[in-house]
Amino acid sequence: MNKARKKFIIYAECAIFVLLTLLLSVINVVNFTMVSEDADRITEIIASKKGTFEHDAPAEPNTNRQQFGKNKGTFEFMGPDSPELKASTRYFTFSFNEEGKAKKIAFNISAVTEEEAESWARSLINQSTGWTNVNYRYRVYEIKDKTYVTVIDQGRELLPSYRILLISIVGGAVLLGLSLIILIFVGKKLFKPLEESDRKQKQFIANAERDFKMPLTIINANTELLEKEHGQSEQTKIINKQIRKMTALVKDLSVLSISDDKNIPVAKINISDFINRLIDHNRPKFQDKNIELTTNIEDDILLGGNEEIIRKALIELIDNSLKYSVSKANFELKRSKDRIQIRQINDTTLPNGSADQVFDRFTILSNAEGANNAGLGLSYVKDAVSAHNGRCRAKVSDGNFILQIDL
Amino acid sequence: MKILLADSNRDFLTSFKKLLELSGHEVICAFDGTQVIQKLHEQNSDIVILENDIPRIAGKIIISQLNSSDIPVISILSSKINSDILLSDTLSNAYISLPFFPSELEELVTQVTDKKKKGQKTVYEDIEIDEASFRLCDKLRVTNEEINVIKALIDKEDINSRKSWPYISSLNNKLTKLNKKTRIRYVMQEGYRLVTDNE
């Protein structure tokens, strides 16, 4: 249950991270796009005035106040169409003829010298429009066989955008941190009933080991006593048969109880040896059922794990193959990058698709044989693999049931 | 044979007392650890069948006392036998796990008492089993099933590896503790065998 809670927190935090990143990215991208569009409007206006405001008539007195009153302070008024544009725009424009000779059209900027500005404009001749040197927006246009380059300083206009970006990053990080704290707190509350239910289930299973087994033993004993005193009857035969069934089921219950206690004893296991042994031991059973058994086991693969749990899991795997193979079964063990991979492949009549539900408790796939089978074997395999930080997957593909374990 | 049957479940005691008496044994019952000790003092028993988690006095203490008195004991477990039990310092002569058939218990009683009575000693390479004392090389205690496994391996019989695995594992542990060169190994195409490393 701890693992489930951690998974919940990780997934929820990732979802928040993705949504937050998306939202803040959209805000910042839209913001920068609007600043770029405003800058393009200004360079477009300058281009329409042949690269300079110097031929414009001065603005009427109090235009500012009148415009404000007229437009009631709209964004349009505050933007590139403002009558203050001429005064507030820091820019330069150079023209270049076909021989490449430069002519200064306008120079209203302090950050660079005229020579630097000319060289800068020359470097942009073959472009069209864009940002240059971080804060400067430029436009290149043609007027009567001459190429004009206008560069405007948008540093002050960009400053709020940079602030928004910084606030987005810092604010986003703070929000993520806060959300993590909240998730940890909420996770505890949310999972408490589930953890309690899980604990009760484990307790039930542990108690069932005693609480079911002893009555079964006593019923057994008394049935035998009845038979000894009154002879065997149809009823005692039925009781015995049902007791045997229940005994098998109760024994299966014990496979539900792999502890998720991190203190399971571990040792270095030669898993190649383990699997070879088990397959060899079960080979006659496969032959009896006319199942062609093939193996591809890499030698000397060592695994750090709990011997008893691994052994039981491998037995369940082989049992599963023995029960459900039609005519062919294959076992593979190999190293794959930094993991150990075990594959069990057998032919099947099941339809193609994912078969991960085989790892669910009490699940037997519909057209599989398996009388008197509680459907717990592969759930044990999954629990055993999880206890060793591994992963199980199953699928059906082209008439083959493929079970893969990565450890 | 006089059997002391100890379990906290009275129905279990009633049922198995009757069954064992029908097989010709004399059965004394005890419901808890205190009664077990009391009955042991009052009369000699040939064998004790003891619930492992009997209340009042820990099963281990009773088993330890029985070991000292050389009275064989069969412990009833509610779970499967495992290496923790087989490698503990206090060891019963045999273990049987719930649920079981009455015939299984009777068979076990017969096996344990026969071994004790006959007191056979078996030697193989550097290992020795003394069935009278249920000891391996006169030092470590072994159970009835462990003795059966070793004897089967000495006779090169096939053993049911699934059922015998915990005993194979515990025997190898004990042989290692005793610094013996003989071990139980799996030989491909042959199965489990006793292998002595003479290098």
Side-chain angles (χ1 to χ4, degrees):
Chain A
M1 196 47 63
N2 260 337
K3 275 187 191 167
R5 180 154 42 107
K6 276 180 192 161
K7 259 189 189 171
F8 162 73
I9 290 171
I10 290 168
Y11 285 140
E13 189 69 359
C14 285
I16 292 169
F17 173 77
V18 165
L19 287 170
L20 210 53
T21 306
L22 205 64
L23 177 69
L24 294 174
S25 301
V26 164
I27 289 170
N28 281 281
V29 164
V30 165
N31 185 35
F32 275 105
T33 305
M34 287 171 79
V35 171
S36 298
E37 281 172 358
D38 286 347
D40 283 344
R41 280 283 299 281
I42 297 171
T43 55
E44 202 181 314
I45 292 168
I46 296 174
S48 70
K49 294 177 191 299
K50 293 185 183 154
T52 180
F53 284 119
E54 275 152 37
H55 308 302
D56 277 5
E60 291 290 323
N62 296 322
T63 307
N64 211 7
R65 220 173 294 149
Q66 286 170 16
Q67 289 280 29
F68 187 83
K70 192 174 164 188
N71 294 321
K72 307 250 187 301
T74 59
F75 283 119
E76 203 177 77
F77 169 75
M78 288 155 73
D81 296 315
S82 162
E84 297 294 347
L85 188 65
K86 177 183 169 184
S88 64
T89 306
R90 312 299 295 162
Y91 75 106
F92 60 85
T93 306
F94 281 84
S95 69
F96 299 88
N97 63 15
E98 278 167 0
E99 284 86 42
K101 189 175 172 194
K103 183 184 174 188
K104 182 183 81 175
I105 305 297
F107 189 81
N108 185 27
I109 195 163
S110 319
V112 292
T113 61
E114 278 189 31
E115 289 76 26
E116 283 168 344
E118 184 196 317
S119 166
W120 190 353
R122 194 182 292 280
S123 73
L124 296 168
I125 284 177
N126 296 318
Q127 312 294 329
S128 60
T129 184
W131 290 96
T132 172
N133 273 20
V134 185
N135 294 332
Y136 298 84
R137 190 77 177 170
Y138 67 89
R139 180 181 288 273
V140 180
Y141 48 97
E142 305 283 328
I143 303 175
K144 286 184 185 170
D145 297 331
K146 282 191 182 167
T147 304
Y148 284 65
V149 179
T150 296
V151 177
I152 62 171
D153 175 9
Q154 291 290 279
R156 285 169 72 181
E157 284 75 11
L158 280 169
L159 187 60
S161 302
Y162 290 139
R163 283 184 182 142
I164 289 171
L165 180 62
L166 184 66
I167 290 166
S168 300
I169 293 169
V170 172
V174 168
L175 261 166
L176 274 173
L178 283 171
S179 65
L180 184 65
I181 294 167
I182 292 168
L183 279 172
I184 290 170
F185 177 72
V186 165
K188 270 191 186 148
K189 293 260 175 195
L190 207 65
F191 278 81
K192 200 170 170 184
L194 294 171
E195 278 165 4
E196 182 61 21
S197 163
D198 191 55
R199 187 192 63 79
K200 280 181 179 165
Q201 186 195 347
K202 284 195 166 106
Q203 187 69 46
F204 168 76
I205 290 164
N207 288 342
E209 287 211 301
R210 174 118 195 120
D211 295 345
F212 281 105
K213 286 176 177 178
M214 179 55 94
L216 271 175
T217 307
I218 294 170
I219 293 168
N220 233 344
N222 282 279
T223 310
E224 196 168 306
L225 273 169
L226 276 171
E227 285 181 334
K228 281 188 173 174
E229 285 174 2
H230 305 289
Q232 205 180 50
S233 69
E234 192 61 35
Q235 286 68 40
T236 58
K237 278 187 197 167
I238 290 169
I239 293 171
N240 280 327
K241 185 178 162 190
Q242 295 305 316
I243 287 170
R244 279 187 164 78
K245 252 192 180 172
M246 280 195 67
T247 304
L249 278 171
V250 166
K251 281 181 179 171
D252 271 348
L253 268 182
S254 68
V255 304
L256 290 179
S257 61
I258 286 199
S259 169
D260 59 359
D261 179 3
K262 289 170 188 62
N263 294 323
I264 51 167
V266 292
K268 264 276 184 279
I269 305 163
N270 186 325
I271 198 161
S272 307
D273 199 39
F274 249 55
I275 291 183
N276 275 327
R277 247 188 279 167
L278 289 167
I279 289 172
D280 204 47
H281 180 76
N282 285 282
R283 203 175 282 276
K285 293 180 193 169
F286 282 88
Q287 281 167 356
D288 282 345
K289 290 184 86 177
N290 293 320
I291 297 170
E292 185 192 330
L293 176 63
T294 53
T295 59
N296 186 6
I297 311 290
E298 227 177 87
D299 287 334
D300 297 322
I301 295 181
L302 299 178
L303 171 73
N306 182 278
E307 208 175 296
E308 192 144 341
I309 292 172
I310 298 266
R311 184 187 57 86
K312 257 191 200 168
L314 291 173
I315 287 171
E316 294 296 343
L317 206 64
I318 290 168
D319 266 354
N320 184 71
S321 180
L322 192 60
K323 274 181 204 147
Y324 301 117
S325 297
V326 177
S327 62
K328 289 184 188 169
N330 172 269
F331 288 90
E332 199 177 275
L333 168 69
K334 61 178 183 177
R335 279 184 200 85
S336 175
K337 293 178 189 174
D338 60 345
R339 299 201 84 110
I340 292 166
Q341 200 179 80
I342 301 170
R343 271 156 66 104
Q344 172 222 323
I345 304 172
N346 53 265
D347 54 353
T348 181
T349 53
L350 293 168
N352 282 355
S354 166
D356 285 341
Q357 65 269 34
V358 292
F359 299 114
D360 294 338
R361 289 171 182 179
F362 307 112
T363 298
I364 300 168
L365 294 184
S366 61
N367 55 350
E369 296 170 19
N372 298 327
N373 182 11
L376 289 168
L378 289 184
S379 76
Y380 183 91
V381 170
K382 187 181 177 189
D383 287 349
V385 168
S386 296
H388 291 82
N389 298 317
R391 203 165 68 130
C392 284
R393 283 169 294 172
K395 69 175 182 185
V396 179
S397 171
D398 300 328
N400 285 318
F401 173 82
I402 302 165
L403 194 155
Q404 184 168 310
I405 296 170
D406 293 288
L407 287 162
Chain B
M1 200 185 310
K2 205 181 259 182
I3 300 174
L4 174 55
L5 185 63
D7 198 287
S8 53
N9 187 306
R10 285 170 196 262
D11 287 337
F12 175 88
L13 286 177
T14 311
S15 314
F16 276 85
K17 177 175 157 65
K18 198 155 184 187
L19 269 169
L20 290 167
E21 281 173 349
L22 280 173
S23 298
H25 304 294
E26 186 187 334
V27 181
I28 311 148
C29 291
F31 305 122
D32 59 45
T34 319
Q35 282 204 356
V36 171
I37 304 292
Q38 188 188 331
K39 302 282 181 193
L40 282 171
H41 280 135
E42 282 170 6
Q43 47 201 300
N44 292 328
S45 300
D46 296 310
I47 190 165
V48 176
I49 300 171
L50 173 72
E51 175 194 355
N52 206 48
D53 302 319
I54 200 160
R56 290 278 177 91
I57 298 179
K60 277 192 174 181
I61 296 173
I62 300 171
I63 293 166
S64 177
Q65 208 165 322
L66 290 166
N67 284 342
S68 317
S69 319
D70 207 26
I71 300 171
V73 54
I74 296 173
S75 283
I76 299 170
L77 302 173
S78 56
S79 58
K80 282 186 187 167
I81 189 79
N82 58 55
S83 47
D84 281 343
I85 295 171
L86 291 168
L87 294 173
S88 67
D89 296 328
T90 321
L91 198 66
S92 299
N93 297 85
Y95 291 89
I96 188 166
S97 298
L98 290 169
F100 54 80
F101 293 97
S103 54
E104 289 177 280
L105 180 61
E106 286 192 60
E107 172 63 30
L108 203 52
V109 167
T110 309
Q111 281 191 25
V112 169
T113 48
D114 275 357
K115 279 183 172 74
K116 268 270 193 229
K117 229 181 259 174
K118 289 175 186 169
Q120 197 178 337
K121 278 194 182 173
T122 309
V123 178
Y124 179 86
E125 296 285 346
D126 57 347
I127 59 176
E128 185 188 304
I129 312 279
D130 180 1
E131 292 181 29
S133 61
F134 275 71
R135 282 189 188 272
L136 177 65
C137 304
D138 276 335
K139 290 194 175 123
L140 296 178
R141 298 194 76 89
V142 284
T143 62
N144 177 67
E145 196 57 44
E146 284 173 314
I147 293 173
N148 290 346
V149 164
I150 280 241
K151 284 177 78 172
L153 289 169
I154 290 171
D155 294 337
K156 291 192 169 50
E157 289 168 17
D158 278 334
I159 54 172
N160 181 334
S161 63
R162 192 163 178 169
K163 200 180 152 199
S164 307
W165 172 261
Y167 306 108
I168 292 169
S169 184
S170 65
L171 279 167
N172 273 334
N173 256 295
K174 287 174 186 176
L175 289 168
T176 305
K177 255 189 197 171
L178 294 168
N179 289 321
K180 296 297 171 188
K181 291 177 184 171
T182 304
R183 294 285 185 283
I184 304 170
R185 295 261 182 264
Y186 185 82
V187 177
M188 291 290 282
Q189 310 292 329
E190 285 184 42
Y192 284 103
R193 294 287 178 263
L194 281 168
V195 172
T196 306
D197 180 10
N198 284 316
E199 282 178 18

